[in-house]
Amino acid sequence: MSDATETESRKLLQRLRDAMAEDSAGQARLDKITHLIADSTGSEVCSIYLFRDSETLELCATEGLNAEAVHQTRMKLGEGLVGRVARYGRVINTADAPSAKGFRYMPETGEEIYSSFLGVPVQRLGEKQGVLVVQSKDAREYSADEVYALEVVAMVLAEMTELGAFVGEGAALAAPHQNPALIRATTAQEGAAEGHVWLHEPRVVVTNPIAEDPHAELVRLREAVDELRVSVDQMLAGASGGDAEQVQVLEAYRMFANSKGWLRRMEEDISRGLSAEAAVEKEQSQARARMNMATDAYLRERLHDLDDLSNRLLRILTGQGQNTGADMPSDPILIARNIGPAELLDYGRSLKGIVLEEGSVGSHAAIVARALAIPLVVHAGGITTDALNGNHIMVDGDQGIVHLRPDDTVVTAFRDKIAMQAKAQERYASIREKPATTKCGKTISLQMNAGLMADLPSLEGSGAEGVGLFRTELQFLVRNQMPKRSELSALYARVLDAAHGKRVVFRTLDIGSDKVLPYMKPNDEPNPALGWRAIRVGLDKRGVMRMQLQALIRAAAGRPLTIMFPFVAQYEEYRQARAEMEKVMERERKLGHVLPEKVEIGAMLETPSLAFAPDKFYEEVDFLSIGGNDLKQFFFAADRENERVRKRYDSLNVSFLTFLEGIVKRCEASGTSLSFCGEDAGRPVEAICLAAMGLRALSMRPASIGPVKNILRSVDLDGLRRVIEEGKLRGDQSVRPAVMNYLRSNS
């Protein structure tokens, strides 16, 4: 790259900075900028297109095209060359635009006389903002230096757009972070919440994208990189000999921090006229753009490492740390790209809701959110870049919708929904002590799911008859090392104390799949949900299983103890696990520890194979609990994390209900106690259908017990069963429509 080119680039950025400094309206600034860019690049046309909504670009300023086309010419994402630049976030540079793939002629612009076309995306940290275009009559491709210079200019435009430098009339020039936004996401924990945004990682704001003194900026960058390298080395030294995965991540950090190519590219950006912060953010934006396009999991992880390292470097340069000095609102709704269970527990019940840009319905964060009964949605695209601390926000965890900066109409409707839910809860409180007895005289046992000590107060308040599932993995997930047996024993004892004699079903360690312990080396499995998890891990690592069983026996201290093994796929797995329990009991007896008064040992039926286990299994197992979430995804071969397939299959599908009926009959024949545990148990319509199929015990989140009990007390299960049987005879795929008609006509 020549010094002359660098000088021209810096000159252009200096002229842009001067234009920005002028006290003028947003439209006037844009008009002046297009003139400056066209003049500096020797192009006859310079145009700036900005998004007016997530799918539509609008011509907002031009030098060279018809002035009447400004704010009139619009195109969809992917439409024409401009739309393709925006969609794919890549440069298009062609000497013959009309012949280029995707070209679309816009007659109102008068661009038919221009042959060459160079389009550069205007984007910031993966957030698309628009497209910068230059055109000429000459049939030529722009040089690599010219492309590079325009990318630098586009970076500055992105920063200035973010800072509100181009605010004017119309949707495309609307002030950023002010308009209402509706974000469709995925439900991970039901419930509705209203509050104000609290960003887990406050945004770094770059207020000086253009360098006044490139030499000084180079010094600042190199000093910051040196500081970053030292901090990474220190973290690596502290982690050596510890968790192998953490060391691996830090080794990747060190590799990037010492990358000469990474530093060279940022130095080149500074030589072009960017400030140190803007140069780092330009690299970060390009890494995020590549990350969004990458399909290879390993590459995405490495790009994520680079993104995180860039954040650290930006915080060193700007001094904008995690603690910005802002006060957390009294009604915080946490916004984050992702968050670990320990960090989430630090916030505790102070949060009203949680919105994650990434995450999954089975993630550690989702498990903690369910335990704390906090509404959670995941896959909320773009939320971390659009939301600002203090923004008004409403989270509909039932529908998987986020209303950011909602208008008055949405606020009114949402508050009506919350008020109706509160009113319903008052009504449910009046039946808290009454049994869930149906009109036909059948009584259903309603129990709650739990995973933290914080859940246990809900046992009394919800009207639950006991804890149908206590998830023991949370105590393992939130630590950086294996918990001690004494710690677990003390915790389990407190759980039993808080239950006041009510039955608590302790599920043994259920890890693997999407629940990986931070101190256990993860396996590189093509399909973790069908891989090394739960009872399979326990039987392969028997020392961990024995330690947990010992802790449970000592916690019982003579009281009844109920233990359930997860993800049992065949009889032999249950036999081996039960044999381990018997060995541990015998060892505890020899050590002089008090044994439980009574021990129940059950299994979770989460795989279709266990439904067809030998009769001997059903005779031997003390109880079974159907794990509906996993069972349904395996039954339908539909990943519950995959929105494209999971919604295709209904829990009230005739095939699934018939399958459950078969399990009920086998348990009735063997006298085996059976319950259903999962999200469907807590959904009123699904719950009454499960009861109609013969299930007499349901376990759910505490907040669902009231609504489920209320509907059970108002329904005739015999009549509902006839409706289901009639649907089967008709060949219905799902009995949901017939069930809803029955409920409406009998309400």
Side-chain angles (χ1 to χ4, degrees):
M1 190 191 314
S2 69
D3 290 340
T5 305
E6 292 171 10
T7 303
E8 288 303 314
S9 175
R10 285 203 298 270
K11 281 181 180 177
L12 172 55
L13 287 182
Q14 286 164 0
R15 292 174 72 187
L16 283 177
R17 185 179 61 209
D18 293 340
M20 298 292 189
E22 292 178 7
D23 187 14
S24 55
Q27 185 64 57
R29 278 182 174 157
L30 277 176
D31 293 341
K32 185 157 190 175
I33 286 169
T34 55
H35 173 75
L36 287 175
I37 296 172
D39 182 56
S40 297
T41 59
S43 301
E44 285 132 317
V45 173
C46 175
S47 304
I48 295 174
Y49 296 81
L50 298 175
F51 279 98
R52 60 178 286 112
D53 59 49
S54 61
E55 293 294 322
T56 312
L57 286 152
E58 183 176 299
L59 176 62
C60 289
T62 187
E63 171 79 10
L65 298 184
N66 292 339
E68 294 78 14
V70 173
H71 298 303
Q72 301 304 312
T73 295
R74 294 172 188 169
M75 59 194 71
K76 292 294 182 184
L77 188 64
E79 182 183 10
L81 297 184
V82 172
R84 289 175 68 82
V85 172
R87 163 162 283 177
Y88 300 110
R90 295 175 186 157
V91 171
I92 291 181
N93 182 13
T94 176
D96 185 6
S99 300
K101 181 181 178 181
F103 175 80
R104 184 190 167 202
Y105 174 52
M106 309 291 282
E108 71 274 15
T109 64
E111 64 179 341
E112 66 273 12
I113 62 174
Y114 302 107
S115 181
S116 63
F117 174 98
L118 172 59
V120 176
V122 177
Q123 57 189 1
R124 180 180 184 270
L125 302 183
E127 181 186 13
K128 297 170 180 176
Q129 295 176 339
V131 178
L132 172 62
V133 175
V134 291
Q135 295 171 270
S136 292
K137 292 178 183 177
D138 296 339
R140 69 178 182 95
E141 280 195 11
Y142 285 85
S143 69
D145 281 337
E146 288 171 317
V147 173
Y148 196 111
L150 213 64
E151 285 181 320
V152 172
V153 171
M155 169 71 200
V156 174
L157 288 177
E159 290 295 340
M160 301 316 293
T161 301
E162 170 71 13
L163 293 171
F166 308 125
V167 173
E169 294 183 9
L173 297 185
H177 313 297
Q178 291 190 16
N179 284 342
L182 184 150
I183 300 167
R184 299 193 181 278
T186 302
T187 296
Q189 165 64 13
E190 296 164 342
E194 176 182 3
H196 291 85
V197 168
W198 181 251
L199 294 169
H200 180 57
E201 292 184 339
R203 302 168 62 138
V204 173
V205 180
V206 176
T207 56
N208 59 328
I210 302 172
E212 292 188 18
D213 181 350
H215 177 72
E217 293 300 306
L218 283 171
V219 171
R220 288 181 64 234
L221 175 69
R222 288 165 184 163
E223 288 178 348
V225 168
D226 286 343
E227 185 178 336
L228 177 71
R229 288 170 175 167
V230 169
S231 69
V232 171
D233 287 343
Q234 289 173 341
M235 285 190 291
L236 195 54
S240 60
D243 173 36
E245 185 184 12
Q246 185 185 3
V247 171
Q248 186 181 18
V249 170
L250 291 174
E251 287 285 8
Y253 276 8
R254 182 157 70 178
M255 179 187 74
F256 283 127
N258 288 282
S259 166
K260 292 180 180 178
W262 185 51
L263 181 59
R264 187 188 68 250
R265 289 192 300 272
M266 292 187 291
E267 289 176 339
E268 287 176 351
D269 289 331
I270 290 173
S271 70
R272 294 282 189 174
L274 289 183
S275 67
E277 291 90 337
V280 174
E281 202 166 84
K282 180 172 177 288
E283 273 296 297
Q284 188 178 21
S285 291
Q286 291 176 342
R288 281 202 184 173
R290 292 196 300 274
M291 186 162 59
N292 290 337
M293 301 296 290
T295 54
D296 179 75
Y298 178 80
L299 179 59
R300 283 183 63 85
E301 281 298 313
R302 296 291 71 81
L303 289 169
H304 193 281
D305 292 341
L306 181 56
D307 185 59
D308 186 63
L309 204 64
S310 298
N311 267 335
R312 292 172 184 268
L313 186 55
L314 276 173
R315 294 192 187 285
I316 292 171
L317 281 164
T318 62
Q320 297 173 29
Q322 294 289 99
N323 184 5
T324 62
D327 293 326
M328 182 186 286
S330 59
D331 52 358
I333 290 185
L334 186 72
I335 306 294
R337 290 183 68 193
N338 217 332
I339 189 169
E343 294 171 299
L344 192 48
L345 280 171
D346 286 341
Y347 284 106
R349 292 184 183 272
S350 65
L351 300 176
K352 298 294 182 186
I354 306 163
V355 181
L356 299 181
E357 194 160 300
E358 299 173 359
S360 66
V361 297
S363 66
H364 306 164
I367 294 166
V368 174
R370 289 187 198 115
L372 296 173
I374 299 171
L376 165 67
V377 297
V378 298
H379 308 150
I383 187 73
T384 57
T385 52
D386 198 7
L388 295 179
N389 269 341
N391 279 166
H392 187 201
I393 186 171
M394 292 175 152
V395 179
D396 188 336
D398 303 318
Q399 302 296 320
I401 291 174
V402 179
H403 299 283
L404 183 61
R405 301 179 292 270
D407 59 29
D408 291 343
T409 307
V410 171
V411 170
T412 300
F414 195 90
R415 286 178 179 167
D416 285 347
K417 174 178 179 173
I418 291 177
M420 287 175 64
Q421 290 179 341
K423 205 169 187 178
Q425 287 299 333
E426 289 176 16
R427 187 170 73 251
Y428 304 146
S430 67
I431 60 172
R432 183 183 301 146
E433 305 303 325
K434 296 179 180 179
T437 302
T438 65
K439 282 187 174 180
C440 53
K442 299 177 178 66
T443 300
I444 313 300
S445 173
L446 302 183
Q447 298 159 33
M448 62 171 267
N449 301 331
L452 295 169
M453 272 302 299
D455 292 323
L456 271 298
S458 300
L459 187 54
E460 293 295 328
S462 66
E465 296 174 38
V467 178
L469 168 66
F470 189 90
R471 304 180 184 92
T472 62
E473 60 270 12
L474 286 179
Q475 289 72 45
F476 290 78
L477 289 170
V478 299
R479 298 166 183 259
N480 291 321
Q481 58 185 16
M482 184 75 72
K484 295 177 181 175
R485 181 177 53 203
S486 58
E487 293 172 335
L488 291 178
S489 179
L491 173 77
Y492 300 151
R494 290 201 302 275
V495 170
L496 290 169
D497 292 343
H500 300 299
K502 291 185 176 179
R503 182 171 179 259
V504 178
V505 179
F506 289 97
R507 183 178 70 187
T508 60
L509 191 58
D510 185 5
I511 56 168
S513 186
D514 49 13
K515 292 177 290 199
V516 180
L517 299 183
Y519 42 86
M520 184 178 286
K521 189 178 188 304
N523 287 306
D524 184 16
E525 298 182 295
N527 193 338
L530 298 175
W532 193 60
R533 54 177 292 199
I535 192 65
R536 299 166 182 177
V537 177
L539 292 175
D540 286 352
K541 292 189 171 291
R542 300 202 181 198
V544 176
M545 179 190 277
R546 290 181 195 127
M547 182 270 285
Q548 187 179 24
L549 294 175
Q550 288 169 348
L552 285 163
I553 291 167
R554 294 178 190 183
R559 292 174 286 192
L561 177 63
T562 306
I563 290 173
M564 176 166 65
F565 294 112
F567 206 67
V568 175
Q570 56 186 5
Y571 176 34
E572 183 58 28
E573 290 171 338
Y574 175 76
R575 287 182 62 184
Q576 290 181 34
R578 184 165 189 136
E580 284 300 325
M581 179 65 181
E582 289 168 355
K583 287 178 191 172
V584 170
M585 286 275 285
E586 178 60 22
R587 185 171 183 277
E588 290 297 288
R589 185 188 64 75
K590 288 180 178 178
L591 290 172
H593 293 292
V594 179
L595 298 183
E597 170 192 324
K598 173 188 174 187
V599 177
E600 291 180 283
I601 304 174
M604 225 169 174
L605 195 158
E606 299 167 270
T607 62
S609 62
L610 200 61
F612 302 99
D615 290 339
K616 188 77 174 166
F617 166 73
Y618 281 86
E619 292 164 5
E620 186 174 322
V621 71
D622 292 334
F623 67 93
L624 278 175
S625 181
I626 295 173
N629 297 344
D630 264 332
L631 180 63
K632 194 163 68 173
Q633 78 168 342
F634 297 140
F635 184 83
F636 290 114
D639 183 357
R640 63 191 179 113
E641 297 287 345
N642 188 335
E643 287 293 299
R644 296 176 69 180
V645 297
R646 78 179 184 92
K647 289 186 176 178
R648 297 169 69 100
Y649 303 99
D650 190 354
S651 303
L652 302 190
N653 179 289
V654 166
S655 301
F656 189 57
L657 291 179
T658 303
F659 179 69
L660 294 180
E661 183 182 21
I663 298 170
V664 170
K665 286 180 178 177
R666 292 204 70 181
C667 287
E668 286 175 348
S670 62
T672 306
S673 172
L674 177 67
S675 66
F676 186 100
C677 173
E679 293 170 8
D680 288 328
R683 293 178 177 139
V685 174
E686 283 82 345
I688 58 173
C689 291
L690 293 172
M693 300 314 292
L695 283 147
R696 294 293 176 262
L698 305 174
S699 189
M700 64 202 73
R701 66 189 184 105
S704 296
I705 290 174
V708 169
K709 183 183 286 188
N710 186 60
I711 196 170
L712 280 167
R713 288 173 58 85
S714 67
V715 76
D716 178 345
L717 292 184
D718 293 334
L720 183 61
R721 178 64 179 260
R722 285 193 293 273
V723 170
I724 293 172
E725 293 302 325
E726 288 166 3
K728 286 184 184 180
L729 291 173
R730 283 193 304 272
D732 292 351
Q733 178 167 292
S734 169
V735 297
R736 188 176 297 276
V739 168
M740 296 308 295
N741 284 334
Y742 173 79
L743 293 175
R744 279 191 289 268
S745 60
N746 289 274
S747 59

